Amino acid sequence: MDTPFPYAQYVTGKQFIGRKNDVTLLGNLLSQGEHVSIYEPPKTGITSLVQQTLFTMRLGGKAFTVGQLSALNIRTPEAFLLRLGSTLLRMVASTPDEFVRLTQKYLEGTHFVFDPRAFAETGQVLSLGWDLDREDILTMLRLPFRLCAERGERFILIVDEFQCLALVADPDIILRPLDAVLREEKDCRLFSFVFCGSGVNAMKGIFESSLLFHRVVEKVNISPVDDREISDHIQRGYLSGGKVVNQDLILGACRLFKGNLWYINHFSAICDAMSRGYIMEPVFVEALGNLVSMHEPRFKEMVNGLTTHQINFLRATVEGVLHFSSADVIRKYGLNSSANVKRVKDALMKKEVLVFDENDLPSLIDPLFEYWVKKYYFEIPQ
């Protein structure tokens, strides 16, 4: 069913608002065969940006084949490489005979095989006939470049939740060879990886702190959408159902959710379902309570997983502390020592609760969690 406030799927076309410059930048990079990383907090529009960019590129006459895989449940190098290879082969083939031919042609000498029985039972295109070795890894990572070069076609491969590779027992088994292959194939302009991730700090660890992928993977930042543009989008949605709302109420919601369109659309859909005609402030208040109640179990689980020092650091953050190593701050918030401050900071980043900008200033990643933790957990007057 069509809804003026989509939040359960990505959006393109008329539902995609703002970020036109981001679409142009990403489209130019992909057209030039660059590899791209995009990492932002969960539900901030990564998939919508990528899909809108591909939509725009096709409208502009660009021809390419797209593949997509998720690393969300990947915990071993073998699982990642098998999924990568299967996705690539499915981009160019569809029958068992074709899979056999391509496996023999491109993966000869490796331990990757096409197992007809596994394919018939599970749809699995590739299997491993033996333990991985370095040549297996390199050959598989070179596969997309070989496919593009020999077929003369442009491929784009989207890897969602790429940060989950950091959860592999030894991420370097994949990441270092991947960096080496991207450098080795830097002159190939027919294939692009799009590495997407909702774990901001984990993705920073891969693409910024590790010194890997420098100058071979371009980072694309997602721009904020102007509050007025969001307000116009929300008002059009209400008007399509014959409803009217005060613009100041919408702008207040934009500020509360810090421009997060997923939360704003979900909140607006709740208001829409609760109202007729003119939407008043009490509807917004009740809708906010409903939205908070949906996410509260997740928020409780988040804070219950924090140590006392981490809770104290979180409170300091929501109370506006920007620098945490001064003696006054350490004493006031019971942080023990500057060495402990660093440990606590690192832990909160690893748990994807806080993110720090280039000036080392903190912010909470989830705007609704920030609202809940201030109002309901720390009971700070609003």
Side-chain angles (χ1 to χ4, degrees):
M1 183 177 68
D2 290 337
T3 171
F5 309 114
Y7 61 88
Q9 64 279 324
Y10 67 80
V11 297
T12 58
K14 292 181 180 179
Q15 295 284 15
F16 184 88
I17 62 171
R19 296 169 176 163
K20 293 181 175 61
N21 290 338
D22 299 350
V23 170
T24 300
L25 172 61
L26 180 56
N28 288 340
L29 290 170
L30 295 179
S31 297
Q32 295 164 15
E34 299 285 354
H35 307 293
V36 175
S37 66
I38 311 173
Y39 40 100
E40 300 288 345
K43 298 297 185 180
T44 50
I46 295 175
T47 302
S48 294
L49 172 62
V50 172
Q51 294 299 327
Q52 177 65 27
T53 299
L54 299 177
F55 176 70
T56 302
M57 289 172 67
R58 287 194 175 99
L59 284 180
K62 300 283 195 313
F64 50 86
T65 300
V66 177
Q68 188 165 8
L69 66 92
S70 172
L72 178 63
N73 59 350
I74 296 295
R75 290 297 180 271
T76 65
E78 292 83 356
F80 176 73
L81 293 171
L82 287 170
R83 187 167 297 175
L84 172 64
S86 296
T87 303
L88 290 167
L89 293 184
R90 286 186 179 278
M91 290 170 69
V92 297
S94 59
T95 67
D97 288 344
E98 290 174 316
F99 292 139
V100 169
R101 180 179 61 81
L102 291 171
T103 302
Q104 292 173 346
K105 180 177 182 179
Y106 293 108
L107 300 174
E108 184 180 6
T110 71
H111 296 114
F112 294 105
V113 297
F114 176 79
D115 182 343
R117 185 172 181 177
F119 179 75
E121 292 177 354
T122 67
Q124 183 175 319
V125 175
L126 289 177
S127 301
L128 267 171
W130 201 256
D131 292 339
L132 277 177
D133 60 30
R134 180 170 173 79
E135 284 308 309
D136 292 338
I137 297 170
L138 290 171
T139 300
M140 181 59 75
L141 295 175
R142 290 174 181 137
L143 177 59
F145 300 97
R146 289 190 63 193
L147 287 171
C148 289
E150 295 184 22
R151 297 172 68 91
E153 301 173 14
R154 181 177 299 282
F155 287 1
I156 297 171
L157 183 62
I158 303 163
V159 185
D160 292 321
E161 303 301 336
F162 185 74
Q163 79 280 348
C164 291
L165 285 187
L167 301 175
V168 171
D170 184 1
D172 283 347
I173 290 177
I174 294 295
L175 296 180
R176 290 194 177 279
L178 178 58
D179 174 72
V181 168
L182 295 188
R183 296 183 188 283
E184 172 189 302
E185 301 286 351
K186 65 181 184 300
D187 294 329
C188 176
R189 295 296 175 177
L190 288 175
F191 175 71
S192 296
F193 273 116
V194 181
F195 300 110
C196 301
S198 62
V200 177
N201 295 312
M203 289 289 279
K204 281 185 174 182
I206 293 172
F207 289 100
E208 297 178 27
S209 304
S210 70
L211 303 181
L212 298 174
F213 308 110
H214 283 204
R215 299 188 178 183
V216 293
V217 176
E218 297 289 333
K219 184 177 189 311
V220 172
N221 296 309
I222 294 186
S223 304
V225 180
D226 183 77
D227 285 354
R228 292 285 174 180
E229 192 166 1
I230 297 174
S231 174
D232 290 343
H233 159 72
I234 298 301
Q235 285 189 318
R236 286 194 300 270
Y238 285 129
L239 285 172
S240 69
K243 299 177 183 180
V244 179
V245 63
N246 185 289
Q247 188 180 48
D248 288 341
L249 289 176
I250 301 175
L251 292 174
C254 291
R255 288 189 292 271
L256 172 65
F257 298 119
K258 297 187 176 180
N260 183 303
L261 285 164
W262 180 66
Y263 276 136
I264 292 169
N265 274 319
H266 194 180
F267 173 74
S268 299
I270 296 172
C271 292
D272 190 33
M274 294 171 54
S275 61
R276 294 181 180 179
Y278 197 84
I279 302 175
M280 307 292 287
E281 184 174 356
V283 172
F284 268 52
V285 173
E286 186 176 352
L288 178 58
N290 289 340
L291 185 62
V292 168
S293 71
M294 295 177 197
H295 293 273
E296 192 167 37
R298 175 168 64 92
F299 296 158
K300 288 180 178 179
E301 184 177 2
M302 288 171 65
V303 294
N304 288 339
L306 302 180
T307 67
T308 300
H309 288 138
Q310 290 164 10
I311 289 291
N312 292 345
F313 194 106
L314 183 62
R315 174 150 198 159
T317 301
V318 300
E319 290 185 345
V321 173
L322 300 178
H323 304 288
F324 298 86
S325 295
S326 71
D328 288 345
V329 169
I330 289 173
R331 183 171 55 254
K332 178 178 179 180
Y333 292 98
L335 297 175
N336 279 3
S337 66
S338 56
N340 189 54
V341 165
K342 185 180 185 311
R343 287 192 293 271
V344 171
K345 172 185 171 182
D346 290 344
L348 288 171
M349 291 172 64
K350 188 173 182 179
K351 293 177 179 181
E352 300 290 347
V353 175
L354 296 180
V355 65
F356 289 77
D357 65 15
E358 61 276 7
N359 297 315
D360 205 33
L361 301 179
S363 60
L364 275 75
I365 290 175
D366 187 324
L368 188 61
F369 175 66
E370 181 175 355
Y371 170 80
W372 178 85
V373 84
K374 284 180 179 179
K375 181 177 177 66
Y376 297 101
Y377 190 78
F378 294 127
E379 300 180 341
I380 298 173
Q382 303 293 300

